[in-house]
Amino acid sequence: MDDLKAKYLGQIADAGDENAVEAIRLAAVGKKGEVALKMRELGKMTPEERQVAGPALNALKDEINSALAAKKAGLADAALDERLRSEWLDVTLPVRPSRQGSLHPISQASEELTAIFAEMGFAVAEGPRIETDWYNFDALNIPGHHPARAEMDTFYMHRAEGDDRPPHVLRTHTSPVQIRSMEKTGAPIRVICPGGVYRADYDQTHTPMFHQVEGLAIDKDISMANLKWVLEEFVKSFFEVDGVDLRFRASHFPFTEPSAEVDIRCSWEGGTLKIGEGDDWLEILGSGMVHPKVIAAGGIDPDEYQGFAFGMGIDRIAMLKYGVPDLRAFFESDLRWLRHYGFAALDMPNLHGGLSR
């Protein structure tokens, strides 16, 4: 026993790595190791011999296992010490820069215009994106034969055979929110209605789903002059120009009378759009005095109240402000495209009074 003990404890002490320690373990206390073979011989001994040899072999096995465990721990500690000497980290170095998130251009434009109109006393109104045919068309004085009511222009909700409920559509504009707001609050009223809308159209300046903001002001003495002032103030604030010329061109919308398309003075120099200067004009929105039938559909007496309304595409004005050439890029491109147009860290006011980055 003493010879085995001296032999293996010496080998364990001299082992230089974990592989050597494992080889010693197998040779000493493995299933075919010397100590295991010795323990198999206990069956051939007399009871008196087993009483002496059995405890001695168990003690030898325990001592060898303890020595093996201590050697493994020592080797692990030595390896860690070596790593600590060879590897180091300067904790005083600055952290690696990480990319910051930013608002999507459309979300950013929505927050900006909402803040601008809020300063002029407009509240924000919202409504469902799936609308009844009545709110989306009839209440807005859009006749049944109007092209907008055709399936080639409007997404109609599927109806099962035998379902005779009135048609529902994906709203084609946010004008239904104006009707719902008039029904809910009555007059006087001053709201903007931003949100997503849907039309069956797709090209460089149109997408099947896009965003609009519409404004509505109803009171007893509102005129086109008030409309002109509101739009001028908005354009100056949104495009960050001191002065701006707007041109109102007579047009026709079923829900306003009189109606006007609104153009803004601009110039194109080297492919860059400049708002508020130059000899060119660019159409940016539609507007007009609310048609008496629309006021009546909202539950307000058109003989006592009148007002104006306007509507513009949020995606379109975001394109103009940020110099984005293709509306489809808002939805089809990845973050690399947005960073190309400078949307990694823009300092823009948001609804919370801070800066959007």
Side-chain angles (χ1 to χ4, degrees), residues 37-332:
L37 294 176
K38 288 286 185 183
M39 296 188 76
R40 291 178 187 177
E41 295 176 358
L42 292 174
K44 299 177 183 180
M45 297 180 183
T46 64
E48 293 77 11
E49 291 175 330
R50 281 200 299 271
Q51 287 181 353
V52 176
L57 286 171
N58 285 327
L60 175 60
K61 181 179 179 181
D62 291 341
E63 191 169 356
I64 292 174
N65 282 329
S66 297
L68 289 168
K71 186 63 177 182
K72 285 184 177 180
L75 290 173
D77 290 342
L80 178 60
D81 290 340
E82 180 60 28
R83 283 190 61 191
L84 292 175
R85 284 193 297 269
S86 61
E87 299 177 10
W88 60 276
L89 176 66
D90 187 350
V91 296
T92 65
L93 289 174
V95 298
R96 293 184 179 91
S98 59
R99 293 190 180 278
Q100 292 183 326
S102 64
L103 288 175
H104 190 279
I106 295 175
S107 299
Q108 188 162 283
S110 298
E111 286 211 354
E112 288 183 61
L113 65 87
T114 299
I116 293 169
F117 283 116
E119 292 182 353
M120 292 187 275
F122 285 81
V124 176
E126 296 180 330
R129 297 197 180 200
I130 298 177
E131 269 294 5
T132 65
D133 202 48
W134 188 85
Y135 277 109
N136 198 77
F137 295 120
D138 295 330
L140 295 164
N141 197 38
I142 300 176
H145 61 271
H146 195 280
R149 302 184 79 145
E151 290 188 1
M152 72 176 72
D153 289 335
T154 298
F155 295 106
Y156 282 84
M157 305 302 294
H158 174 72
R159 283 281 186 264
E161 185 176 352
D163 189 343
D164 297 326
R165 288 179 297 167
H168 281 67
V169 301
L170 294 179
R171 66 183 183 189
T172 59
H173 42 195
T174 55
S175 301
V177 183
Q178 298 182 13
I179 302 297
R180 292 180 177 274
S181 298
M182 286 190 284
E183 289 179 337
K184 182 178 180 180
T185 64
I189 185 174
R190 192 182 306 178
V191 295
I192 59 168
C193 314
V197 297
Y198 307 84
R199 296 180 190 174
D201 205 352
Y202 189 65
D203 57 33
Q204 184 173 352
T205 57
H206 299 85
T207 55
M209 183 272 182
F210 56 102
H211 303 80
Q212 275 192 344
V213 58
E214 300 193 16
L216 173 72
I218 302 289
D219 211 328
K220 293 184 176 181
D221 55 358
I222 287 182
S223 68
M224 288 285 287
N226 302 122
L227 169 64
K228 183 174 184 291
W229 179 84
V230 167
L231 295 180
E232 286 178 344
E233 291 299 307
F234 167 73
V235 170
K236 286 191 293 185
S237 296
F238 185 79
F239 290 105
E240 302 177 40
V241 293
D242 295 329
V244 65
D245 290 332
L246 296 183
R247 181 176 68 179
F248 286 71
R249 288 181 292 106
S251 186
H252 170 72
F253 304 115
F255 28 79
T256 52
E257 181 60 40
S259 303
E261 301 276 7
V262 180
D263 303 332
I264 187 172
R265 183 181 292 278
C266 65
S267 68
W268 294 91
E269 296 182 6
T272 301
L273 174 67
K274 293 186 177 181
I275 301 295
E277 60 182 62
D279 298 324
D280 295 325
W281 295 90
L282 181 67
E283 177 189 326
I284 59 170
L285 58 90
S287 65
M289 297 299 291
V290 183
H291 197 289
K293 290 184 178 180
V294 176
I295 295 177
I300 298 174
D301 185 358
D303 294 327
E304 185 177 359
Y305 289 95
Q306 63 187 33
F308 65 75
F310 59 85
M312 69 187 87
I314 298 176
D315 313 55
R316 193 76 58 83
I317 61 174
M319 289 173 63
L320 297 177
K321 179 167 184 174
Y322 305 131
V324 179
D326 192 323
L327 184 62
R328 293 170 293 188
F330 280 145
F331 304 99
E332 295 180 354

